Amino acid sequence: MDLSFVASGFAVGLLVGMTGVGGGSLMTPLLTLLFGVSPAVAVGTDLAFASLTKGVGTFTHRMRGTVHWEIVRRLCLGALPAALLASLALKHFGTLNKEIGLVIRYMIAGSVMLTVVALMFKRKMLAWIMADPSRQLQGRALTIATIVAGAVLGTLVTISSIGAGAIGATLLVMLYPRLSAAEVAGTDIAYAVPLTAIAAIGHWWLGSINWSLLLTLLVGSLPGITIGSYAARAVPERLLRGLLAFTLVAVAAKLVS
């Protein structure tokens, strides 16, 4: 067991526990840049990692009653078929050749930058929507927009393993601005479980999951998430999110350089 992977899992888990975001957007680039794992294997391993950890989170939120299952259903109507189609596309074009690896690398960089935007401007976007009720979707338009958002997230997550956390939560806030923070978190985690599971199965089928690496990362991340959750109140959230955003910008720049 490589202690550097355990330490990396612990560090990412600690940050996720403190901020609620940063799992895929940090773990996948970390595996790619620091450890030289191929982009396809990094994505597949991180998706398997996410499906396991988010499953535990969904159980907790379900017990607390903070999951809106109708919204989860709408997101899954778009996300799950998109994940299947993206997996088939990766199978057709090949995930392990150099050209597709480069495409995945750029997709990871783009997803990281979208996460930064979601982190830094979520409150301003929400304030803009809440300022005028006509900007809030209703009825059929809201249902269609939610399904489309799910399809976009399903494609993004399958290809890059990034998007289910901060980007998904931001889209939920924009579409359903009256949800509480706990409801946004619970609903976001709940829909991400089947999405990351299907995407992970697709990558297993493609042969792009390193199971020993996955177990090593879990050894570090589980205590990291636990400690981070307890420490979250002691560290200013604004400081943590700023640090995370700065780190992600640096990661994206490195990915495209």
Side-chain angles (χ1 to χ4, degrees):
M1 181 174 293
D2 193 328
L3 291 180
S4 59
F5 286 123
V6 175
S8 298
F10 178 83
V12 172
L14 188 69
L15 189 57
V16 172
M18 288 182 175
T19 66
V21 298
S25 53
L26 281 177
M27 184 62 78
T28 301
L30 187 67
L31 292 175
T32 304
L33 296 175
L34 187 59
F35 298 109
V37 177
S38 73
V41 173
V43 169
T45 304
D46 185 55
L47 285 168
F49 172 82
S51 65
L52 294 171
T53 55
K54 289 178 184 291
V56 176
T58 297
F59 178 77
T60 303
H61 279 280
R62 181 179 181 181
M63 296 298 291
R64 295 175 60 196
T66 52
V67 177
H68 277 256
W69 293 106
E70 178 59 26
I71 299 176
V72 171
R73 185 184 70 83
R74 294 173 184 174
L75 287 169
C76 287
L77 282 174
L80 302 189
L84 289 172
L85 289 174
S87 297
L88 290 173
L90 289 173
K91 178 66 173 179
H92 176 74
F93 292 107
T95 60
L96 300 179
N97 64 56
K98 184 177 180 180
E99 290 76 14
I100 297 300
L102 186 62
V103 171
I104 294 175
R105 188 183 179 99
Y106 280 110
M107 284 290 293
I108 293 170
S111 300
V112 167
M113 289 308 300
L114 285 175
T115 302
V116 173
V117 172
L119 282 170
M120 301 305 294
F121 299 106
K122 182 170 70 175
R123 290 184 180 179
K124 291 184 178 180
M125 289 188 288
L126 178 58
W128 179 80
I129 290 176
M130 294 297 287
D132 186 352
S134 65
R135 296 169 182 164
Q136 301 175 30
L137 297 177
Q138 302 290 337
R140 183 178 177 84
L142 178 59
T143 299
I144 293 174
T146 306
I147 294 173
V148 171
V152 172
L153 288 168
T155 303
L156 197 63
V157 168
T158 303
I159 295 175
S160 71
S161 84
I162 301 168
I167 300 174
T170 300
L171 288 174
L172 277 176
V173 169
M174 299 300 104
L175 293 171
Y176 301 90
R178 301 191 185 281
L179 292 181
S180 68
E183 290 170 334
V184 169
T187 303
D188 183 50
I189 289 174
Y191 98 86
V193 172
L195 169 56
T196 53
I198 286 181
I201 290 171
H203 278 270
W204 185 13
W205 174 51
L206 297 169
S208 52
I209 294 180
N210 186 324
W211 294 104
S212 61
L213 173 59
L214 170 63
L215 292 174
T216 306
L217 292 172
L218 286 172
V219 169
S221 68
L222 294 180
I225 289 173
T226 303
I227 296 171
S229 299
Y230 281 106
R233 293 182 180 180
V235 182
E237 179 182 351
R238 190 171 184 178
L239 174 63
L240 284 172
R241 288 185 179 271
L243 178 61
L244 178 58
F246 176 81
T247 303
L248 292 176
V249 169
V251 165
K254 180 65 176 177
L255 282 167
V256 299
S257 64

